Amino acid sequence: KRAFGQIAIRFEFRERALEMIRIMSLALYHLINSRTPNVTAFGVAYALGLTSVLGNERMAERARKLGVHKAAISRAASKFLAESGGER
């Protein structure tokens, strides 16, 4: 039983790691193919809830700093979520 449990844990870890690689690859794809990579990067960060990148900064404040409308970041976040299968 113990060996089977360890195999199941390894399988679960592998599946999670592959999913993370898929998400990272998709995020990088979005950045590389974007005409506005700064906006796209923050859109992806908001979509993923990356507080390590965002801190407590609201999307409207980040948009102001980037010189764009909040909708631009929101669209980037929505596009990433839709294409990654994580649409809420």
Side-chain angles (χ1 to χ4, degrees), residues 4-88:
F4 179 75
Q6 288 177 344
I7 291 170
I9 290 170
R10 286 184 187 149
F11 178 77
E12 179 70 20
F13 177 81
R14 182 178 184 279
E15 290 298 307
R16 300 265 187 222
L18 290 173
E19 179 64 12
M20 187 52 113
I21 290 169
R22 186 185 75 79
I23 291 168
M24 289 173 23
S25 296
L26 185 58
L28 187 56
Y29 174 83
H30 277 272
L31 288 170
I32 290 170
N33 292 294
S34 175
R35 288 181 282 141
T36 55
N38 286 343
V39 173
T40 300
F42 281 101
V44 170
Y46 280 103
L48 295 175
L50 299 179
T51 55
S52 61
V53 173
L54 304 168
N56 291 323
E57 189 167 59
R58 295 177 161 265
M59 194 182 290
E61 178 62 20
R62 176 52 63 179
R64 186 188 65 73
K65 288 179 179 178
L66 293 174
V68 298
H69 293 282
K70 177 184 168 188
I73 297 174
S74 183
R75 274 193 305 273
S78 295
K79 183 178 179 183
F80 177 77
L81 285 173
E83 293 182 15
S84 68
E87 193 160 11
R88 295 176 188 164

